[in-house]
Amino acid sequence: SMSYVKPYRSNRLGNWYEDQRLYEDAKKEYLEKKERGELAGQKVDFLKQHILRPVNLTVTNDGRLHFGDVVMLVNMGGENRESSAVSINTDINGLTKSPSPGIQAPCGISAGRAIQACTRTAFIITSVDGSPEGSTLHFEQSFALKTTSGFARGLYLSSDLQTFHKSAKKSFLQEVNLEDGGCFLSWWKIVHFDPQERLEYEGHPVPANVKVLIIHCKTNQALAVLGDKVLWTTYGKEYEVTAHTFLDSHKAEQDNNHWILCTADPSGNGLVLFNHLQSAADKEEKKIYKHSSTD
């Protein structure tokens, strides 16, 4: 029976050497990848480090929006969704190294619930009709929305009629993404959120930090966030963004079509929008507190 045990043992030893060799190879490959920054975890860290880098939004001195302003596109939320901001939605496979690290076009977008001014959420109001930098944006005037240059590559928020092959992933509505180079597909216009007031406001300056509609010029569909279409992204649970006008029974657009083009607070802390909301909430709280303390 000795003769039976021996090959069995040497076989096990053979397996042990083989396992050891595979382990050493894998370890070597891992360390080489690590050195080159090519591990998935490292790539995610690298992506986040660049795309979540803070960006200074424009401080508007006259309360209006202008060509060249850097803003965030914020939806205040609704029945089935939290407030969110239009965000670049790229993962580690959507990056390019040349000529320098950055996102690749075409690139997806989503509505992220982390409302922080950073490379991921900053858009530049860009002239398409020869309006000079610094001049006021008016209601119904065509313009483009461009990501910042550098890592975000200065891509244009674009859309086109949906086809069987090209539509938003979850809702199958009209896709909105980021494209290289501006053309008519990347023209948008701001209209007043109240249909009754729309005509009166046409041609007037657009104020910053108020609720408006962002309409796609070619297809006449309004930018929308879909609270019931959830995307699981590198950045967490987010909402799908599409170009689709949602009308209520009064033929007015619903709140998932309402956007605020946010600017920075001149006082230097945070966003005008949220500081105003906060102070309103504080006042409300003080009022409640006052009433309850006098009861």
Side-chain angles (χ1 to χ4, degrees), residues 184-227:
F184 187 47
L185 299 180
S186 57
W187 290 23
W188 302 83
K189 62 183 181 179
I190 303 286
V191 306
H192 196 279
F193 80 94
D194 182 352
Q196 309 288 314
E197 305 279 333
R198 215 158 275 174
L199 248 141
E200 204 176 313
Y201 275 89
E202 195 174 330
H204 284 245
V206 182
N209 306 298
V210 301
K211 204 161 62 173
V212 294
L213 303 181
I214 304 175
I215 307 278
H216 187 241
C217 292
K218 179 187 167 181
T219 60
N220 205 34
Q221 296 289 340
L223 191 68
V225 54
L226 305 176

Side-chain angles (χ1 to χ4, degrees), residues 56-61 209 263-276 278-279:
N56 292 323
L57 299 183
T58 298
V59 171
T60 172
N61 296 313
N209 306 298
T263 61
D265 206 324
S267 67
N269 51 5
L271 304 171
V272 172
L273 167 72
F274 288 101
N275 292 350
H276 286 185
Q278 195 48 53
S279 60

Side-chain angles (χ1 to χ4, degrees), residues 51-66:
I51 211 159
L52 301 180
R53 188 167 284 162
V55 167
N56 292 323
L57 299 183
T58 298
V59 171
T60 172
N61 296 313
D62 57 7
R64 297 170 173 178
L65 294 173
H66 314 84

Side-chain angles (χ1 to χ4, degrees), residues 28-39 42:
K28 190 169 159 242
E29 194 184 343
Y30 170 84
L31 292 172
E32 282 170 359
K33 269 190 159 179
K34 187 176 175 181
E35 202 152 297
R36 292 195 300 263
E38 284 172 6
L39 299 178
Q42 286 176 307

Side-chain angles (χ1 to χ4, degrees), residues 81-200:
R81 60 182 199 282
E82 294 170 47
S83 53
S84 59
V86 175
S87 304
I88 298 170
N89 182 21
T90 190
D91 59 18
I92 57 175
N93 302 315
L95 294 184
T96 165
K97 282 186 176 162
S98 58
S100 60
I103 64 175
Q104 250 174 330
C107 177
I109 59 162
S110 54
R113 296 173 304 156
I115 299 182
Q116 266 140 357
C118 61
T119 301
R120 205 182 164 217
T121 56
F123 286 87
I124 303 161
I125 296 174
T126 303
S127 167
V128 298
D129 62 4
S131 296
E133 189 98 344
S135 63
T136 307
L137 175 69
H138 295 89
F139 281 104
E140 314 268 349
Q141 179 180 11
S142 298
F143 70 100
L145 287 161
K146 212 174 163 180
T147 60
T148 53
S149 55
F151 190 80
R153 290 289 192 266
L155 303 181
Y156 290 82
L157 192 68
S158 306
S159 191
D160 202 355
L161 294 164
Q162 80 250 46
T163 64
F164 181 68
H165 296 292
K166 191 174 162 59
S167 63
K169 282 184 185 61
K170 298 260 179 177
S171 61
F172 303 112
L173 297 171
Q174 189 173 310
E175 186 180 38
V176 181
N177 62 3
L178 296 167
E179 296 278 359
D180 225 343
C183 64
F184 187 47
L185 299 180
S186 57
W187 290 23
W188 302 83
K189 62 183 181 179
I190 303 286
V191 306
H192 196 279
F193 80 94
D194 182 352
Q196 309 288 314
E197 305 279 333
R198 215 158 275 174
L199 248 141
E200 204 176 313

